Amino acid sequence: MRKLLFLIGSLILLVGLIACSDGSENVVEEDLEDDIEQGSDDYDESEEVEESNDDEKNEEDVYTEETIDSPYYITGRIVMLGENSEALGFHFQRQDADQSREERFFQSLQESDFTSIDVLADLNDVRMGDNSTIELIFNEDHKLRGLASAEQILLTEMLHELGYLYGFSTINFYVEDEQGVIYGQYGELETMEIEREANRGYYVFEDAVEEPPEPLFLNARTVEEEIQGETLFNFEETIEEISYLNQGAEGYRSAIGDSVRVTDVSVVDSHATVVFDHEENGESIEKFETVLQLTALDFQLESIQLINQQEQTDKTFVFDRPQTE
Protein backbone atom coordinates (compact mmCIF):
# COMPACT_ATOMS: atom_id res chain seq x y z
CA MET A 1 0.00 0.00 0.00
CA ARG A 2 2.83 2.36 0.96
CA LYS A 3 4.59 1.54 -2.29
CA LEU A 4 1.46 2.37 -4.25
CA LEU A 5 1.08 5.73 -2.52
CA PHE A 6 4.76 6.48 -3.11
CA LEU A 7 4.42 5.71 -6.80
CA ILE A 8 1.32 7.90 -7.13
CA GLY A 9 3.06 10.78 -5.34
CA SER A 10 6.12 10.42 -7.53
CA LEU A 11 3.97 10.56 -10.65
CA ILE A 12 2.19 13.70 -9.44
CA LEU A 13 5.52 15.39 -8.67
CA LEU A 14 6.93 14.45 -12.08
CA VAL A 15 3.88 15.81 -13.89
CA GLY A 16 4.19 19.05 -11.90
CA LEU A 17 7.88 19.44 -12.79
CA ILE A 18 7.17 18.89 -16.48
CA ALA A 19 4.39 21.48 -16.40
CA CYS A 20 6.66 24.04 -14.72
CA SER A 21 9.37 23.39 -17.24
CA ASP A 22 7.00 24.00 -20.19
CA GLY A 23 5.70 27.21 -18.64
CA SER A 24 9.21 28.53 -18.08
CA GLU A 25 10.17 27.83 -21.69
CA ASN A 26 7.05 29.63 -22.90
CA VAL A 27 7.91 32.66 -20.76
CA VAL A 28 11.47 32.73 -22.13
CA GLU A 29 10.23 32.44 -25.67
CA GLU A 30 7.66 35.20 -25.10
CA ASP A 31 10.32 37.47 -23.54
CA LEU A 32 12.67 36.79 -26.45
CA GLU A 33 9.94 37.59 -28.99
CA ASP A 34 9.13 40.80 -27.10
CA ASP A 35 12.81 41.80 -27.12
CA ILE A 36 13.08 41.13 -30.87
CA GLU A 37 9.90 43.12 -31.54
CA GLN A 38 11.12 46.00 -29.39
CA GLY A 39 14.51 45.99 -31.15
CA SER A 40 12.79 46.00 -34.53
CA ASP A 41 10.61 48.95 -33.50
CA ASP A 42 13.67 50.86 -32.25
CA TYR A 43 15.48 50.17 -35.55
CA ASP A 44 12.47 51.32 -37.60
CA GLU A 45 12.18 54.53 -35.60
CA SER A 46 15.92 55.20 -35.99
CA GLU A 47 15.75 54.50 -39.71
CA GLU A 48 12.75 56.86 -40.08
CA VAL A 49 14.64 59.64 -38.26
CA GLU A 50 17.68 59.18 -40.51
CA GLU A 51 15.51 59.16 -43.65
CA SER A 52 13.67 62.26 -42.41
CA ASN A 53 16.99 64.06 -41.83
CA ASP A 54 18.18 63.07 -45.31
CA ASP A 55 14.94 64.38 -46.84
CA GLU A 56 15.29 67.69 -45.01
CA LYS A 57 18.93 67.98 -46.16
CA ASN A 58 17.96 67.22 -49.74
CA GLU A 59 15.16 69.80 -49.62
CA GLU A 60 17.65 72.40 -48.35
CA ASP A 61 20.05 71.66 -51.22
CA VAL A 62 17.45 71.77 -54.01
CA TYR A 63 17.68 74.90 -56.19
CA THR A 64 15.06 75.98 -58.70
CA GLU A 65 16.82 75.93 -62.07
CA GLU A 66 15.83 78.18 -64.97
CA THR A 67 17.36 78.93 -68.36
CA ILE A 68 16.52 82.32 -69.90
CA ASP A 69 17.33 82.21 -73.60
CA SER A 70 14.74 84.71 -74.84
CA PRO A 71 16.23 87.45 -77.07
CA TYR A 72 17.74 90.45 -75.31
CA TYR A 73 16.87 93.96 -76.41
CA ILE A 74 18.90 97.14 -75.80
CA THR A 75 18.11 100.80 -76.41
CA GLY A 76 20.23 103.87 -75.83
CA ARG A 77 19.43 107.24 -74.28
CA ILE A 78 21.37 110.46 -73.79
CA VAL A 79 21.34 111.68 -70.18
CA MET A 80 22.93 114.54 -68.27
CA LEU A 81 25.63 113.79 -65.73
CA GLY A 82 26.17 116.99 -63.84
CA GLU A 83 25.24 120.30 -65.43
CA ASN A 84 27.02 120.11 -68.77
CA SER A 85 28.08 116.50 -69.30
CA GLU A 86 26.08 114.33 -71.71
CA ALA A 87 26.39 110.56 -71.45
CA LEU A 88 25.00 107.54 -73.24
CA GLY A 89 23.01 105.13 -71.09
CA PHE A 90 21.27 101.85 -71.91
CA HIS A 91 18.00 100.10 -71.21
CA PHE A 92 18.24 96.30 -71.23
CA GLN A 93 15.46 93.73 -71.21
CA ARG A 94 14.55 90.23 -72.33
CA GLN A 95 11.79 89.90 -74.93
CA ASP A 96 9.11 87.26 -75.30
CA ALA A 97 8.94 87.82 -79.07
CA ASP A 98 11.26 85.60 -81.09
CA GLN A 99 13.03 88.32 -83.08
CA SER A 100 16.30 88.00 -84.96
CA ARG A 101 19.35 90.09 -84.09
CA GLU A 102 18.89 92.35 -87.13
CA GLU A 103 15.21 92.93 -86.30
CA ARG A 104 16.10 93.89 -82.73
CA PHE A 105 18.96 96.10 -83.91
CA PHE A 106 16.60 97.90 -86.31
CA GLN A 107 14.06 98.47 -83.54
CA SER A 108 16.79 99.52 -81.09
CA LEU A 109 18.13 102.19 -83.44
CA GLN A 110 14.74 103.72 -84.16
CA GLU A 111 13.75 103.79 -80.48
CA SER A 112 17.15 105.22 -79.51
CA ASP A 113 17.02 108.21 -81.88
CA PHE A 114 17.86 111.29 -79.81
CA THR A 115 18.63 113.63 -82.74
CA SER A 116 16.74 116.88 -83.14
CA ILE A 117 15.86 116.03 -86.77
CA ASP A 118 14.97 112.33 -86.21
CA VAL A 119 17.54 110.99 -88.68
CA LEU A 120 16.81 107.35 -87.84
CA ALA A 121 13.17 107.76 -88.81
CA ASP A 122 14.51 107.60 -92.38
CA LEU A 123 15.98 104.14 -91.78
CA ASN A 124 13.76 101.90 -93.91
CA ASP A 125 15.26 98.51 -93.17
CA VAL A 126 18.29 96.54 -92.05
CA ARG A 127 19.68 93.30 -93.42
CA MET A 128 22.45 90.93 -92.52
CA GLY A 129 25.51 90.81 -94.75
CA ASP A 130 27.18 87.98 -92.85
CA ASN A 131 27.01 86.98 -89.20
CA SER A 132 28.97 90.06 -88.07
CA THR A 133 27.94 92.61 -90.74
CA ILE A 134 24.75 94.66 -90.69
CA GLU A 135 23.50 96.84 -93.56
CA LEU A 136 21.41 99.97 -92.88
CA ILE A 137 19.10 101.01 -95.74
CA PHE A 138 17.92 104.65 -95.72
CA ASN A 139 15.39 106.32 -98.01
CA GLU A 140 16.44 108.86 -100.64
CA ASP A 141 15.32 111.83 -98.57
CA HIS A 142 17.28 110.81 -95.46
CA LYS A 143 18.42 113.56 -93.10
CA LEU A 144 21.81 112.10 -92.12
CA ARG A 145 23.45 114.84 -94.18
CA GLY A 146 21.93 117.43 -91.86
CA LEU A 147 23.55 116.11 -88.66
CA ALA A 148 25.14 118.77 -86.47
CA SER A 149 28.69 118.05 -85.29
CA ALA A 150 27.80 117.26 -81.64
CA GLU A 151 24.90 114.99 -82.60
CA GLN A 152 27.07 113.22 -85.18
CA ILE A 153 29.63 112.38 -82.46
CA LEU A 154 26.96 110.99 -80.11
CA LEU A 155 25.18 109.08 -82.89
CA THR A 156 28.48 107.50 -83.94
CA GLU A 157 29.11 106.45 -80.34
CA MET A 158 25.65 104.91 -80.15
CA LEU A 159 26.15 102.97 -83.39
CA HIS A 160 29.45 101.62 -82.08
CA GLU A 161 28.02 100.67 -78.68
CA LEU A 162 24.81 99.05 -79.89
CA GLY A 163 26.60 97.38 -82.80
CA TYR A 164 29.12 95.82 -80.41
CA LEU A 165 26.52 94.67 -77.87
CA TYR A 166 24.52 92.97 -80.63
CA GLY A 167 27.63 91.29 -82.01
CA PHE A 168 28.27 93.27 -85.21
CA SER A 169 31.75 94.38 -86.26
CA THR A 170 30.84 96.22 -89.50
CA ILE A 171 28.01 98.56 -90.52
CA ASN A 172 27.39 99.23 -94.21
CA PHE A 173 25.24 102.22 -95.26
CA TYR A 174 22.86 102.23 -98.23
CA VAL A 175 20.45 104.65 -99.84
CA GLU A 176 17.89 102.34 -101.38
CA ASP A 177 20.10 99.97 -103.44
CA GLU A 178 23.17 102.22 -103.68
CA GLN A 179 25.90 101.88 -101.07
CA GLY A 180 27.00 105.08 -99.35
CA VAL A 181 25.37 108.04 -97.54
CA ILE A 182 26.31 111.62 -96.70
CA TYR A 183 26.99 111.30 -92.97
CA GLY A 184 26.85 114.76 -91.41
CA GLN A 185 30.18 116.63 -91.25
CA TYR A 186 32.03 113.45 -92.18
CA GLY A 187 30.73 113.46 -95.74
CA GLU A 188 30.48 110.35 -97.91
CA LEU A 189 30.42 107.15 -95.86
CA GLU A 190 29.94 103.58 -97.08
CA THR A 191 31.28 101.46 -94.22
CA MET A 192 31.77 101.98 -90.50
CA GLU A 193 34.00 99.51 -88.67
CA ILE A 194 32.89 99.03 -85.07
CA GLU A 195 35.73 100.36 -82.93
CA ARG A 196 34.13 100.45 -79.54
CA GLU A 197 36.48 101.34 -76.70
CA ALA A 198 36.98 98.64 -74.10
CA ASN A 199 34.69 98.71 -71.10
CA ARG A 200 34.43 96.80 -67.84
CA GLY A 201 31.08 96.77 -66.05
CA TYR A 202 28.05 99.01 -65.61
CA TYR A 203 26.40 101.25 -63.03
CA VAL A 204 22.81 102.31 -62.36
CA PHE A 205 21.89 105.83 -63.49
CA GLU A 206 20.08 107.95 -60.92
CA ASP A 207 18.07 110.87 -62.26
CA ALA A 208 18.20 113.78 -59.82
CA VAL A 209 14.72 114.89 -60.90
CA GLU A 210 12.83 111.73 -61.67
CA GLU A 211 13.56 108.05 -62.18
CA PRO A 212 13.32 106.87 -65.80
CA PRO A 213 10.40 104.51 -66.59
CA GLU A 214 12.90 101.67 -66.96
CA PRO A 215 16.28 101.27 -65.23
CA LEU A 216 19.09 102.94 -67.15
CA PHE A 217 22.70 101.77 -67.04
CA LEU A 218 25.97 103.62 -67.70
CA ASN A 219 29.16 101.81 -68.59
CA ALA A 220 32.21 102.24 -66.38
CA ARG A 221 34.25 103.96 -69.09
CA THR A 222 31.60 106.66 -69.55
CA VAL A 223 31.56 107.58 -65.85
CA GLU A 224 35.36 107.25 -65.64
CA GLU A 225 35.40 104.44 -63.11
CA GLU A 226 38.46 102.18 -63.05
CA ILE A 227 38.49 99.49 -65.74
CA GLN A 228 42.08 98.31 -65.50
CA GLY A 229 45.17 97.91 -63.36
CA GLU A 230 48.31 97.05 -65.29
CA THR A 231 45.96 95.44 -67.82
CA LEU A 232 42.21 95.49 -68.40
CA PHE A 233 40.28 93.85 -65.57
CA ASN A 234 39.21 90.26 -66.13
CA PHE A 235 35.62 89.23 -65.38
CA GLU A 236 36.25 88.41 -61.72
CA GLU A 237 38.10 91.70 -61.13
CA THR A 238 35.34 93.63 -62.88
CA ILE A 239 32.63 92.23 -60.60
CA GLU A 240 34.70 93.20 -57.59
CA GLU A 241 35.36 96.70 -58.97
CA ILE A 242 31.74 97.57 -59.79
CA SER A 243 30.79 96.80 -56.19
CA TYR A 244 32.36 100.13 -55.23
CA LEU A 245 32.32 103.76 -56.42
CA ASN A 246 34.94 106.46 -56.53
CA GLN A 247 34.48 109.35 -54.12
CA GLY A 248 33.39 111.73 -56.85
CA ALA A 249 30.54 109.55 -58.12
CA GLU A 250 27.55 111.69 -59.05
CA GLY A 251 24.33 110.65 -60.75
CA TYR A 252 24.93 106.89 -60.62
CA ARG A 253 25.43 104.07 -58.14
CA SER A 254 26.54 100.47 -57.95
CA ALA A 255 23.97 97.76 -58.71
CA ILE A 256 25.66 95.59 -56.08
CA GLY A 257 24.17 97.17 -52.98
CA ASP A 258 25.02 96.57 -49.33
CA SER A 259 22.36 93.87 -49.17
CA VAL A 260 24.11 91.76 -51.83
CA ARG A 261 27.25 89.71 -51.16
CA VAL A 262 29.04 88.00 -54.05
CA THR A 263 30.69 84.84 -52.72
CA ASP A 264 32.22 83.30 -55.84
CA VAL A 265 32.94 84.25 -59.46
CA SER A 266 34.39 82.00 -62.14
CA VAL A 267 34.66 81.80 -65.92
CA VAL A 268 35.15 78.58 -67.87
CA ASP A 269 35.47 78.93 -71.64
CA SER A 270 32.60 81.32 -72.55
CA HIS A 271 30.44 80.62 -69.50
CA ALA A 272 30.53 82.67 -66.28
CA THR A 273 29.15 81.65 -62.89
CA VAL A 274 28.36 84.10 -60.10
CA VAL A 275 27.28 82.83 -56.68
CA PHE A 276 25.76 85.41 -54.35
CA ASP A 277 23.71 85.89 -51.22
CA HIS A 278 21.54 88.78 -50.13
CA GLU A 279 19.44 89.92 -47.23
CA GLU A 280 15.95 88.46 -47.20
CA ASN A 281 14.31 91.88 -47.12
CA GLY A 282 16.97 93.68 -49.14
CA GLU A 283 16.48 95.63 -52.34
CA SER A 284 15.43 93.92 -55.57
CA ILE A 285 18.21 92.04 -57.35
CA GLU A 286 16.72 92.72 -60.79
CA LYS A 287 19.16 95.57 -61.54
CA PHE A 288 22.01 93.44 -60.23
CA GLU A 289 21.08 90.68 -62.69
CA THR A 290 20.87 93.20 -65.55
CA VAL A 291 24.29 94.70 -64.81
CA LEU A 292 25.84 91.24 -64.81
CA GLN A 293 24.23 90.42 -68.16
CA LEU A 294 25.53 93.64 -69.72
CA THR A 295 28.96 92.94 -68.25
CA ALA A 296 28.87 89.44 -69.75
CA LEU A 297 28.23 91.04 -73.16
CA ASP A 298 31.33 93.22 -72.63
CA PHE A 299 33.33 89.99 -72.40
CA GLN A 300 31.49 88.34 -75.31
CA LEU A 301 30.37 85.48 -73.09
CA GLU A 302 27.84 82.96 -74.37
CA SER A 303 26.05 82.60 -71.02
CA ILE A 304 26.13 83.63 -67.38
CA GLN A 305 24.81 81.56 -64.47
CA LEU A 306 23.57 83.37 -61.36
CA ILE A 307 23.17 81.24 -58.24
CA ASN A 308 21.11 82.97 -55.55
CA GLN A 309 21.77 81.24 -52.23
CA GLN A 310 19.11 83.21 -50.36
CA GLU A 311 16.24 82.36 -52.71
CA GLN A 312 17.79 79.03 -53.83
CA THR A 313 17.48 79.83 -57.52
CA ASP A 314 19.88 78.92 -60.30
CA LYS A 315 19.36 81.09 -63.40
CA THR A 316 21.34 80.79 -66.61
CA PHE A 317 21.09 83.69 -69.06
CA VAL A 318 22.02 82.78 -72.64
CA PHE A 319 23.10 85.24 -75.38
CA ASP A 320 22.80 84.89 -79.14
CA ARG A 321 25.70 87.29 -79.67
CA PRO A 322 28.50 85.86 -81.87
CA GLN A 323 32.17 86.40 -81.11
CA THR A 324 33.73 89.42 -82.83
CA GLU A 325 37.32 90.55 -83.12
Side-chain angles (χ1 to χ4, degrees), residues 78-100:
I78 303 299
V79 298
M80 296 300 297
L81 282 178
E83 294 182 0
N84 301 308
S85 178
E86 290 183 316
L88 176 60
F90 303 95
H91 294 297
F92 178 98
Q93 63 183 0
R94 292 279 175 167
Q95 287 188 321
D96 293 331
D98 188 16
Q99 291 182 303
S100 64

Side-chain angles (χ1 to χ4, degrees), residues 53-319:
N53 290 337
D54 288 342
D55 289 342
E56 289 177 6
K57 186 177 179 181
N58 289 338
E59 286 177 6
E60 290 175 0
D61 293 340
V62 170
Y63 279 64
T64 302
E65 296 183 5
E66 183 181 7
T67 298
I68 297 92
D69 55 4
S70 54
Y72 65 88
Y73 177 65
I74 304 172
T75 53
R77 173 182 163 187
I78 303 299
V79 298
M80 296 300 297
L81 282 178
E83 294 182 0
N84 301 308
S85 178
E86 290 183 316
L88 176 60
F90 303 95
H91 294 297
F92 178 98
Q93 63 183 0
R94 292 279 175 167
Q95 287 188 321
D96 293 331
D98 188 16
Q99 291 182 303
S100 64
R101 275 193 304 136
E102 62 265 35
E103 289 172 331
R104 284 177 280 141
F105 188 63
F106 180 36
Q107 185 178 350
S108 290
L109 290 179
Q110 292 198 316
E111 292 190 13
S112 302
D113 192 352
F114 59 86
T115 61
S116 58
I117 55 177
D118 298 328
V119 297
L120 295 177
D122 298 326
L123 179 62
N124 285 344
D125 199 6
V126 302
R127 62 187 177 218
M128 294 277 287
D130 55 36
N131 201 36
S132 61
T133 300
I134 189 72
E135 298 176 347
L136 307 186
I137 299 95
F138 289 85
N139 63 40
E140 290 183 355
D141 299 323
H142 71 84
K143 295 186 284 290
L144 280 173
R145 60 176 61 87
L147 275 171
S149 178
E151 287 189 336
Q152 178 187 318
I153 292 171
L154 286 171
L155 179 61
T156 301
E157 180 185 356
M158 183 173 289
L159 289 173
H160 282 279
E161 289 286 348
L162 290 177
Y164 179 85
L165 292 171
Y166 275 110
F168 298 114
S169 58
T170 303
I171 298 176
N172 291 329
F173 295 87
Y174 285 80
V175 176
E176 303 297 346
D177 294 328
E178 294 293 325
Q179 186 169 358
V181 296
I182 303 300
Y183 188 76
Q185 311 301 306
Y186 185 88
E188 183 74 22
L189 179 65
E190 292 187 358
T191 298
M192 179 184 289
E193 298 296 335
I194 299 298
E195 297 176 351
R196 184 249 202 182
E197 293 183 53
N199 180 64
R200 292 294 183 264
Y202 290 78
Y203 296 86
V204 181
F205 172 70
E206 290 188 314
D207 196 319
V209 179
E210 137 180 46
E211 285 291 326
E214 296 177 354
L216 191 70
F217 303 92
L218 307 170
N219 67 37
R221 186 190 69 249
T222 295
V223 296
E224 299 182 350
E225 289 285 345
E226 293 292 333
I227 64 172
Q228 65 181 38
E230 294 182 1
T231 60
L232 281 169
F233 292 147
N234 61 26
F235 188 80
E236 295 89 335
E237 292 167 336
T238 297
I239 300 305
E240 181 178 0
E241 183 65 27
I242 62 177
S243 301
Y244 309 99
L245 297 173
N246 65 39
Q247 293 181 348
E250 182 180 355
Y252 63 96
R253 64 178 175 81
S254 173
I256 307 176
D258 294 337
S259 63
V260 178
R261 185 171 63 92
V262 176
T263 57
D264 187 57
V265 180
S266 62
V267 178
V268 178
D269 296 328
S270 294
H271 175 80
T273 301
V274 177
V275 182
F276 67 98
D277 203 352
H278 65 95
E279 296 176 9
E280 187 172 358
N281 297 318
E283 63 181 297
S284 169
I285 61 167
E286 192 172 321
K287 293 175 185 176
F288 170 70
E289 292 180 340
T290 299
V291 159
L292 293 189
Q293 289 182 75
L294 282 167
T295 301
L297 288 173
D298 270 352
F299 285 86
Q300 301 190 42
L301 297 177
E302 294 177 1
S303 58
I304 181 169
Q305 181 180 10
L306 305 182
I307 300 176
N308 184 336
Q309 294 177 313
Q310 169 62 37
E311 298 180 5
Q312 291 189 291
T313 59
D314 183 343
K315 295 181 181 179
T316 298
F317 297 91
V318 180
F319 307 102

